[in-house]
C-alpha cells in the first residue's frame, strides 16, 4: 500500500543498535491509469478579416510612452509585438526601445466536427497526455472506448503499465 517503507538504509543489530548504509532500490508494480478526453462536436474557429491595427510606444529611461492610435480595447484580435533598439551610425545603440504592436482582427465562426474528426482529435490529445504522463513506462495493455452525445465525444482509456512506484524519502539524523 502507499506510504510503506520497502527499501531501507537502516540496519538493526542484535545488540539493540542500528547503523546506516547507503541503499538503492526499485519497486516495480503493475498499475492502472485511467484517462478521459472530451471533445466538443461544435467549436469556434478564427476567420481573419485582414484588418490590422497598429499601436506604437517607446520606452526611455524606464518610462513608457504610448503614441495614441486607436482605443485600448482590442476585441477579437491576435497581438504580435516587435521591439527595436535604434542604432546611430551603425555603432551606438540608443537607450530607447521602440515597440510596435500589431493587432490582427478576426471573427469567430461556428464549425462542426464529424464523429470521425472528433475521435481523431481525442486520440491525438490522449496520445499527448499519455506521452507526458508515462514518459518511459512500458504499457502492457490499453483498452479504449468512446461515447457520443449530441454535443460531444468522450474517449476513455484504461492503460495497464509496469512502472517503478518507489520514491525517495528524506530524513534527518539527530
Amino acid at each position: 500500500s502507499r506510504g510503506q517503507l520497502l527499501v531501507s538504509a537502516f540496519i538493526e543489530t542484535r545488540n539493540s543498535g542500528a547503523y546506516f548504509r547507503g541503499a538503492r532500490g526499485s519497486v516495480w508494480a503493475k498499475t492502472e491509469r485511467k484517462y478521459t478526453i472530451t471533445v466538443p462536436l461544435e467549436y469556434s474557429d478564427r476567420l481573419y478579416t485582414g484588418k490590422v491595427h497598429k499601436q506604437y510606444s517607446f520606452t526611455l529611461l524606464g518610462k513608457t510612452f504610448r503614441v495614441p492610435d486607436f482605443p485600448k480595447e482590442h476585441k477579437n484580435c491576435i497581438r504580435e509585438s516587435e521591439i527595436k533598439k535604434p542604432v546611430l551610425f551603425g555603432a551606438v545603440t540608443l537607450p530607447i526601445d521602440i515597440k510596435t504592436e500589431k493587432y490582427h482582427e478576426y471573427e469567430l465562426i461556428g464549425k462542426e466536427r464529424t464523429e470521425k474528426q472528433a475521435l481523431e482529435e481525442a486520440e491525438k490529445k490522449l496520445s499527448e497526455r499519455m506521452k507526458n504522463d508515462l514518459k518511459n513506462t512500458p504499457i502492457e495493455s490499453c483498452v479504449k472506448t468512446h461515447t457520443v452525445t449530441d454535443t460531444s465525444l468522450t474517449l476513455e482509456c484504461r492503460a495497464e503499465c509496469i512502472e517503478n512506484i518507489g520514491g525517495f524519502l528524506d530524513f534527518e539524523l539527530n
Side-chain angles (χ1 to χ4, degrees):
S1 73
R2 187 174 192 94
Q4 288 184 327
L5 182 62
L6 300 174
V7 178
S8 175
F10 292 98
I11 301 171
E12 292 185 37
T13 64
R14 290 184 188 174
N15 303 330
S16 70
Y19 62 95
F20 175 74
R21 285 273 170 106
R24 288 185 198 174
S26 297
V27 180
W28 294 90
K30 183 181 259 187
T31 60
E32 182 178 279
R33 303 274 188 124
K34 292 180 182 178
Y35 296 93
T36 302
I37 306 290
T38 301
V39 175
L41 296 177
E42 292 181 8
Y43 65 101
S44 296
D45 201 5
R46 296 177 184 148
L47 177 64
Y48 289 94
T49 64
K51 293 180 183 175
V52 179
H53 304 284
K54 291 183 182 179
Q55 175 71 53
Y56 300 97
S57 64
F58 62 94
T59 304
L60 176 64
L61 303 173
K63 181 79 173 150
T64 301
F65 303 93
R66 286 189 172 275
V67 178
D69 187 19
F70 69 103
K72 284 187 176 183
E73 200 171 296
H74 311 293
K75 290 186 178 178
N76 293 343
C77 291
I78 294 291
R79 183 180 67 160
E80 176 187 337
S81 296
E82 179 183 33
I83 297 175
K84 291 184 179 178
K85 291 187 170 287
V87 179
L88 288 179
F89 312 115
V92 179
T93 303
L94 298 177
I96 299 172
D97 291 337
I98 299 174
K99 183 176 185 179
T100 304
E101 294 177 315
K102 293 180 184 177
Y103 294 86
H104 301 271
E105 195 175 289
Y106 63 85
E107 294 177 5
L108 289 176
I109 56 169
K111 288 189 170 185
E112 289 187 30
R113 288 184 180 95
T114 64
E115 183 179 331
K116 182 181 176 186
Q117 290 170 326
L119 185 56
E120 287 172 356
E121 181 72 20
E123 289 275 1
K124 181 180 167 188
K125 288 180 178 183
L126 174 65
S127 177
E128 289 171 5
R129 193 157 151 206
M130 288 177 73
K131 183 180 174 185
N132 288 336
D133 288 356
L134 305 172
K135 293 184 182 8
N136 295 319
T137 303
I139 299 171
E140 280 202 337
S141 69
C142 183
V143 178
K144 298 176 188 174
T145 57
H146 73 274
T147 55
V148 181
T149 65
D150 291 340
T151 58
S152 64
L153 178 137
T154 300
L155 176 65
E156 293 181 345
C157 173
R158 187 178 55 82
E160 288 184 350
C161 311
I162 302 292
E163 57 186 318
N164 183 1
I165 62 168
F168 290 100
L169 181 64
D170 292 329
F171 63 93
E172 193 175 299
L173 294 175
N174 293 331

